[in-house]
Amino acid sequence: MAWHTIQEAQKLTGKSRRTLYRDMSTGRLSWAPEGENARRLETSELIRAYGALLPMAQPEVEKTAHGVTASGTADTVLILTELKALREEVAELRQAMRLIEHKPDVAHATAQPTEVLEEALPVTLSPMTDEKPERWWSSIFRPFKQN
């Protein structure tokens, strides 16, 4: 049979929590440990100790924020029509993006190649020197260098 928590046993038997724990401590009601501090009770034990059980109330049905729309209503037709129009618009936008990606930009096509490079690479380059850059740890050990 099924196992129940103390709260479920209270609902099934109509007994208080104190009564259930008192009957468990005197040995009238057997139980099994569940975890460190919890106890569980078997249905057959509850029936043996207290007789027929009370029917457990069914949990309340979840309430929704809106009414249920029957399938095939006018609202459904409107939604499907709008969905179809949106899909067509997305397809047109994708086609336009494909054309834009493959079409060279007019401003860059007339510009000289060096101008395009300068626009694309705004980084300034410094002339190269033969000096090696100082290592980061050299500043730490500089006071300890012997001349």
Side-chain angles (χ1 to χ4, degrees):
M1 295 207 129
W3 291 91
H4 304 283
T5 62
I6 298 296
Q7 291 83 10
E8 290 172 350
Q10 282 179 268
K11 291 176 186 174
L12 287 170
T13 60
K15 304 291 180 187
S16 69
R17 183 180 198 88
R18 183 176 180 182
T19 302
L20 291 172
Y21 276 107
R22 183 180 52 225
D23 289 346
M24 284 186 273
S25 66
T26 60
R28 179 173 181 218
L29 184 62
S30 60
W31 54 277
E34 183 175 6
E36 289 183 25
N37 298 324
R39 297 178 182 186
R40 58 185 181 157
L41 305 164
E42 194 172 13
T43 307
S44 60
E45 265 304 294
L46 295 173
I47 293 171
R48 184 190 61 75
Y50 302 115
L53 301 178
L54 302 173
M56 279 189 73
Q58 295 296 320
E60 280 189 37
V61 178
E62 249 185 69
K63 296 180 181 178
T64 58
H66 57 83
V68 178
T69 304
S71 61
T73 62
D75 291 338
T76 307
V77 173
L78 289 174
I79 292 170
L80 291 175
T81 306
E82 185 177 357
L83 179 63
K84 183 179 178 182
L86 289 171
R87 285 183 176 166
E88 289 173 359
E89 186 177 349
V90 168
E92 291 171 6
L93 290 172
R94 283 185 180 156
Q95 183 64 27
M97 286 299 297
R98 285 188 199 111
L99 290 173
I100 291 171
E101 288 174 354
H102 295 297
K103 187 176 181 181
D105 191 10
V106 177
H108 287 296
T110 59
Q112 298 297 327
T114 56
E115 293 174 2
V116 174
L117 260 180
E118 289 173 2
E119 289 176 14
L121 300 172
V123 178
T124 58
L125 300 174
S126 60
M128 292 188 62
T129 60
D130 289 339
E131 286 183 24
K132 291 184 180 178
E134 191 172 312
R135 304 279 189 234
W136 65 270
W137 61 82
S138 64
S139 62
I140 297 171
F141 295 109
R142 189 173 304 134
F144 302 109
K145 276 188 176 179
Q146 295 179 357
N147 292 337

